[in-house]
Amino acid sequence: MSAFSRRTFMLAATAIGAMAVAGATAMAEVPKLKQKEKYKVGFAQTESNNPWRIAQTNSMKETAEKLGYQLVYTDAAGSAAKQVADVNSMIAQGVDLIFLAPREEKPLIPAVMAAKKAGIPVILLDRSVDPKLAKAGNDYLTFIGSDFIKEGQRVAEWLAKNANGKTKIIELEGTTGASPANDRKKGFDEAIKAAGGFEIVASQSGDFARDKGRQVAEALLQAHPDADIVYAHNDEMAIGAISAIEAAGKVPGKDILVLSIDGGKEAVGLVVDGKIGAVVECNPRFGPKAFETMARYAKGEKIEPKLINDDKFYDSSNAKEELAGAY
Ligand code: GYE
């Protein structure tokens, strides 16, 4: 190669490099949302097998109805693969924006990327995706939900003060690979270790479901007859564990302390009855905040990468008064 052609080649290579960078920057943006009178919006729900999910769906439907928006609603029935297909169908139907409650952190990444490629902004509701694989303000607009690490920490802090000599913990984890399961474990395990004097004798997934929680609790109580604390990542599994504890001839709240997260009416009622020691609320009423965030984005406002909900805390000191307001 002559000196001249080498220089031409280098210039061309630099130009291609710059174009690639420019392309990457353009792709790094969340698709825009036009201001409109009425929107067609997708809500890809993960499953409907518990009161928390039903409260969330109702809140989304009610708010959309109030605004006069068309809501394309899908229920993935507990299958990440179906949820990806649901999002693809919303893309094909030309929705303006997609609210997605990703069942698991990794399998829903292709859905987020497909919407972005189709020019449709995505807002993550209540669960997040793997932050290494997709970024807020980049691949999706924002995450709206609770601080799950803090929820786990709040349970641990209450336990450290109210354990009354109980020390051996069975942990019932949520759906494997779901962000609330990962973070409720991390927050709790780290805080309980820092508190000292406790031992997590077993930790296993009950898939955030009542019957699975009951079955897993039954097996773990048999394997660890000295366990005296059950920490469940949601109400459904805590309620399942209470059945298992009673079936084992023990008294929940007395022989075995039960702790939970979600704060549905049934669980708050069980706090009143003394069967559950404490529940950290995880607020499922997403509608108003979800649609307000969408409107702010359409107006051109800069949206924060995370919008964290405020959660209450229930124990014997307030459960009675709070019962009526629980979802
Ligand atoms: O705690 C659980 C639900 O993702 C925060 O999922 C949500 C969790 C909630 O099925 O009950």
Side-chain angles (χ1 to χ4, degrees):
M1 224 190 271
S2 71
F4 175 74
S5 59
R6 186 160 48 233
R7 186 160 176 274
T8 317
F9 172 78
M10 293 293 285
L11 282 173
T14 314
I16 290 168
M19 269 155 59
V21 170
T25 322
M27 279 305 283
E29 270 172 33
V30 178
K32 294 270 171 288
L33 181 66
K34 282 202 207 94
Q35 268 188 299
K36 282 199 213 170
E37 192 52 36
K38 302 281 172 207
Y39 290 98
K40 181 172 169 183
V41 174
F43 174 38
Q45 179 57 288
T46 170
E47 58 207 349
S48 298
N49 62 344
N50 72 44
W52 194 96
R53 290 282 148 203
I54 291 163
Q56 185 191 34
T57 298
N58 288 344
S59 176
M60 292 297 287
K61 285 187 174 169
E62 274 164 29
T63 313
E65 205 172 303
K66 252 188 226 154
L67 293 165
Y69 294 0
Q70 187 184 339
L71 190 72
V72 178
Y73 170 77
T74 55
D75 174 358
S79 154
K82 177 170 184 312
Q83 200 172 26
V84 173
D86 289 345
V87 169
N88 284 330
S89 132
M90 287 173 185
I91 295 170
Q93 291 174 65
V95 297
D96 296 302
L97 177 140
I98 296 171
F99 291 112
L100 170 65
R103 179 169 162 81
E104 291 147 58
E105 283 195 325
K106 285 192 175 71
L108 268 300
I109 295 287
V112 171
M113 296 308 181
K116 180 184 180 183
K117 206 167 154 214
I120 302 170
V122 171
I123 292 179
L124 299 183
L125 288 192
D126 89 76
R127 290 188 188 176
S128 199
V129 292
D130 188 330
K132 288 196 266 332
L133 303 176
K135 302 235 178 298
N138 200 320
D139 301 308
Y140 61 91
L141 183 60
T142 184
F143 161 78
I144 305 177
S146 292
D147 181 338
F148 305 124
I149 294 192
K150 200 165 138 201
E151 287 176 343
Q153 286 167 347
R154 290 176 82 186
V155 174
E157 280 157 18
W158 185 92
L159 179 60
K161 288 194 206 116
N162 298 280
N164 262 329
K166 296 188 170 31
T167 59
K168 292 195 168 14
I169 306 167
I170 287 176
E171 181 167 352
L172 297 176
E173 301 169 23
T175 298
T176 305
S179 63
N182 293 339
D183 291 351
R184 284 171 184 170
K185 177 161 181 66
K186 189 176 180 336
F188 177 85
D189 289 14
E190 284 174 7
I192 214 66
K193 200 171 163 207
F198 293 95
E199 187 192 350
I200 299 171
V201 294
S203 184
Q204 203 176 307
S205 174
D207 204 18
F208 279 134
R210 188 177 298 209
D211 201 50
K212 190 75 198 291
R214 184 190 57 75
Q215 286 169 38
V216 173
E218 197 177 280
L220 294 180
L221 286 166
Q222 260 167 35
H224 304 276
D226 55 346
D228 47 15
I229 299 164
V230 170
Y231 161 48
H233 288 187
N234 80 345
D235 286 354
E236 288 298 292
M237 297 188 295
I239 295 165
I242 287 173
S243 303
I245 292 166
E246 286 171 341
K250 294 191 174 171
V251 181
K254 200 163 157 262
D255 302 323
I256 300 185
L257 192 54
V258 181
L259 304 160
S260 177
I261 298 174
D262 268 359
K265 221 179 216 87
E266 192 175 350
V268 178
L270 287 163
V271 176
V272 175
D273 298 344
K275 293 191 179 184
I276 294 184
V279 185
V280 176
E281 187 201 30
C282 180
N283 193 337
R285 294 166 175 140
F286 280 74
K289 202 176 197 171
F291 286 92
E292 180 198 297
T293 305
M294 176 181 170
R296 288 208 286 128
Y297 185 54
K299 250 198 262 161
E301 274 182 41
K302 176 123 187 64
I303 307 297
E304 308 79 343
K306 275 186 190 169
L307 293 164
I308 301 302
N309 294 338
D310 279 336
D311 293 325
K312 298 185 180 183
F313 191 95
Y314 307 108
D315 65 6
S316 62
S317 70
N318 66 348
K320 222 180 195 151
E321 302 97 78
E322 296 283 349
L323 184 61
Y327 68 85

